[in-house]
Structures are given as C-alpha cells and as structure tokens.
Amino acid sequence: MSKIDITCSDYIQQPYVIASLFQSALLDDNDVIMESDVVLQDTREPKIMNNGEKHQERRRDIHARITLYDSDHPFSCHFCLELMSYNDTAMITRVMDYDITTMQVQIRNIRSDMERTGKGKDVKTCNYLTQLPHVLQLEPCFTCVLNLSKQKWEGYSSSEELYDPSFAKRDLHPATTGVLKVIDPHTMSEKQLDQLLPELKLLFLAIRYQSREYAKQLETLLKTSHVQIGRRLATALSQILNRNLQIPEEGETIEMCESMDVLVQGYIAEGDEKRSRKDTIKLLKMNWTLEQISDFVERSIEEVESWAMESSLPYRRS
C-alpha cells in the first residue's frame, strides 16, 4: 500500500466513518447505520482449499461486519473496502476472488461449529464443502473500491464486460458473474457528496481536486471550510495534497481553514525557493560570487552554496 492508501485507511476504518460510507454507497434513506452497528473484522483472510486447509493468506484493506434491522429482526453483512491510488482495470476479478474467500471462511466456521457440537459426526471423512446444513444462510459480502487516484475510475465495473457480449445477448450468464461498486469522488454528484459526513465529503473533494489543474478550486475549498478535522484526517489530507498541513494532537480537532494557513504558507515558501534556485543557477553561469547571489535572491550564503554544489557548476566567494 502507498502512503496515501495507508493514511486514508487509518482514517476511514473508524466505525463512524464506515457507517457513513456504507450508508451513502449502498443504502437508501430508509436505513440508518449507527456507529454501534459497525464492528471491525480481521483484515487477514486465508484462502480455503477443498480439504479445509488454509492456503495463501491475503489481506483486505478494510473489513467490517455491519448489522441492519428489518423491523426488530437483526441481520448482518460484511462491508469491505479496497483503496486504490491507481486504475486497475482487472480489479473486478480480484474483488470476486476476495468475496468468495470471505464466503469460504464463513463455511469453514460453520463446519467447525458442527464438529464441536457433534452435528456432523462423519464430517472429517466427507468433502469439506459438502457437509453443510441443507438450509444455509451466509452473511453476504459487499466490496467497494474507493478511487484515490487523480483521475476518474476507468476499470471494468462488471465481470461480464470481460466476456464476449454474444453470451449476454443469449442470456447466458456464467456463475463467475460479479458487479463492482466503485466509489469515485471524481464522478459523485453534489447530492451524493452531501449524504456523507462533512469531514468525509472534505476528503473526497480533496481527492477530486488534488491535480494541479484544480489548484484554485482546492485552495478556495480549503480556505473556506470550517469542517473540524482530527489527527487521522489531517494526516490523510497531507498525504493526498502532498503538503504539510497542521496536524492536531490525538483527540483534538482543528478547523480546516486554520490548517490551510500552514498549507498556503507552504505554497508560498515552495514558490520562493524554486525561484531562488532558478535565479542562482542563472547567476552562477554569469560568474557572480556567492555573496552577490545571496544578496540578490535574499537567501543565506550557506543555502546558495548548497544549491551551487547540487548544480555542479563552478562557484566562488568574494
């Protein structure tokens, strides 16, 4: 995982953030997910062979078990999130493999319960996947891809797009048919963004505007945003924007516009340094001394000398 993936995962894996994301991505307004309905799961999943043995452990980016309610009847599902900082056209196949593994893990656990309770006496002599109850209810897994890249998602959204379209015309659909739900900040409508937590909306807009072509929109957004951001979100934003935002202490928050002051100063400082370096190279070629250059670009002699050494151009002092 990249630094952007890691910092975004650290922020998003908080139950209240997952609840907001699951709500807006997969549910309508009739369902309300509370933070208490979200339980983080072990992201490690072993690939299960037909004899029940573990093989080739893999790791999800984020995995949570979420409880929903039908009147007073609770029912649960798994919500998994894969964070992608680049476009992977074949991501649909990876997600299908992940989801099948999640189902296999549930089946393994059911089988283990049967062995423990004595309901499957001959289970060890039978095929691993056949010794199961006639009425089997698994908890479905919904995996979404969150696009963190600078461009809109262009990968396949359905596994059927990988096959010759002639099969679909004949209503022939393979068992290995899956649909990929992509959460793409670049294409989300304003209504969809407004369904998110304000801080999560801020993160998504930062992802959308991280390219230099959107520099003005980004600066306006961050300068005027009064959203309270905590340490995890500030760290994620710093990585996405590649800037040193002010990072609050753990348990504390800061308004985005206040943290933006540090960002703007960073832009100015970076611009000044680039201009000074460029001027230094030009003046070295004109055989100016380090003292003359230092006075002209208003930088210390030590700093000017370090740029001169990096350039490999000859330089001299007065």
Side-chain angles (χ1 to χ4, degrees):
M1 295 177 72
S2 68
K3 287 184 178 180
I4 291 178
D5 295 349
I6 293 171
T7 54
C8 285
S9 176
D10 187 49
Y11 164 68
I12 293 173
Q13 69 178 347
Q14 298 174 99
Y16 78 95
V17 179
I18 292 176
S20 174
L21 196 54
F22 182 81
Q23 173 90 46
S24 62
L26 298 174
L27 300 177
D28 56 33
D29 295 336
N30 296 324
D31 289 297
V32 178
I33 306 299
M34 307 298 292
E35 180 179 352
S36 57
D37 298 326
V38 178
V39 179
L40 292 177
Q41 304 292 296
D42 191 343
T43 57
R44 296 170 298 175
E45 289 186 344
K47 183 75 173 179
I48 308 299
M49 304 302 290
N50 201 44
N51 59 4
E53 294 181 357
K54 298 180 182 179
H55 176 68
Q56 189 184 353
E57 184 178 82
R58 63 191 62 200
R59 186 181 292 272
R60 297 269 199 170
D61 290 344
I62 296 174
H63 184 178
R65 186 170 182 263
I66 297 179
T67 301
L68 303 167
Y69 294 89
D70 184 4
S71 297
D72 293 331
H73 169 62
F75 59 103
S76 298
C77 65
H78 295 261
F79 177 52
C80 297
L81 203 61
E82 299 300 322
L83 309 183
M84 297 297 297
S85 52
Y86 63 94
N87 266 267
D88 184 350
T89 54
M91 190 65 192
I92 177 66
T93 59
R94 288 172 53 191
V95 167
M96 290 167 62
D97 193 23
Y98 294 160
D99 289 351
I100 289 172
T101 299
T102 300
M103 293 173 65
Q104 290 176 327
V105 169
Q106 292 184 61
I107 292 173
R108 181 197 65 189
N109 293 338
I110 291 173
R111 182 176 184 269
S112 297
D113 289 341
M114 292 173 64
E115 288 181 342
R116 190 181 66 255
T117 58
K119 293 181 180 179
K121 294 181 180 179
D122 300 325
V123 70
K124 292 183 179 180
T125 61
C126 297
N127 182 288
Y128 169 63
L129 296 178
T130 58
Q131 190 67 24
L132 293 168
H134 292 296
V135 180
L136 177 65
Q137 282 193 333
L138 300 180
E139 297 175 349
C141 181
F142 302 99
T143 298
C144 294
V145 170
L146 175 57
N147 180 22
L148 302 177
S149 71
K150 296 180 180 180
Q151 296 84 29
K152 68 177 182 179
W153 186 262
E154 296 179 350
Y156 294 109
S157 59
S158 168
S159 61
E160 292 204 335
E161 296 176 25
L162 301 171
Y163 307 132
D164 190 308
S166 301
F167 291 106
K169 288 180 181 178
R170 288 166 174 75
D171 204 26
L172 294 173
H173 305 285
T176 52
T177 297
V179 176
L180 180 64
K181 173 67 177 179
V182 178
I183 303 172
D184 191 354
H186 298 281
T187 58
M188 292 178 72
S189 66
E190 193 64 29
K191 181 180 179 181
Q192 290 173 318
L193 288 169
D194 286 340
Q195 292 175 339
L196 300 168
L197 288 169
E199 60 186 71
L200 191 53
K201 177 181 177 180
L202 176 64
L203 175 67
F204 279 23
L205 288 175
I207 294 170
R208 177 184 291 184
Y209 295 141
Q210 62 183 302
S211 296
R212 288 190 177 276
E213 60 186 293
Y214 297 116
K216 290 184 178 179
Q217 293 95 319
L218 177 65
E219 185 175 344
T220 301
L221 166 71
L222 301 183
K223 272 186 174 180
T224 58
S225 175
H226 294 280
V227 173
Q228 294 285 334
I229 62 173
R231 184 177 184 84
R232 294 187 183 189
L233 178 54
T235 304
L237 289 170
S238 294
Q239 286 296 328
I240 292 171
L241 303 176
N242 195 26
R243 290 294 183 273
N244 293 321
L245 294 175
Q246 183 175 345
I247 309 296
E249 295 296 326
E250 190 67 44
E252 298 181 357
T253 60
I254 185 174
E255 282 193 354
M256 184 65 244
C257 54
E258 292 181 25
S259 188
M260 179 61 184
D261 290 339
V262 178
L263 178 62
V264 172
Q265 292 167 14
Y267 274 125
I268 294 172
E270 182 184 48
D272 286 346
E273 182 177 337
K274 284 184 177 179
R275 284 191 294 272
S276 298
R277 280 174 175 264
K278 190 174 181 180
D279 289 341
T280 296
I281 301 302
K282 287 182 179 179
L283 298 174
L284 283 171
K285 292 178 179 179
M286 295 169 62
N287 203 31
W288 282 35
T289 66
L290 294 183
E291 288 80 2
Q292 290 173 320
I293 297 173
S294 176
D295 290 339
F296 183 84
V297 299
E298 297 182 344
R299 295 280 184 163
S300 69
I301 292 180
E302 291 76 17
E303 197 169 13
V304 170
E305 186 173 17
S306 68
W307 296 338
M309 293 174 66
E310 289 175 10
S311 71
S312 299
L313 291 171
Y315 62 90
R316 61 188 179 86
R317 290 178 177 269
S318 298

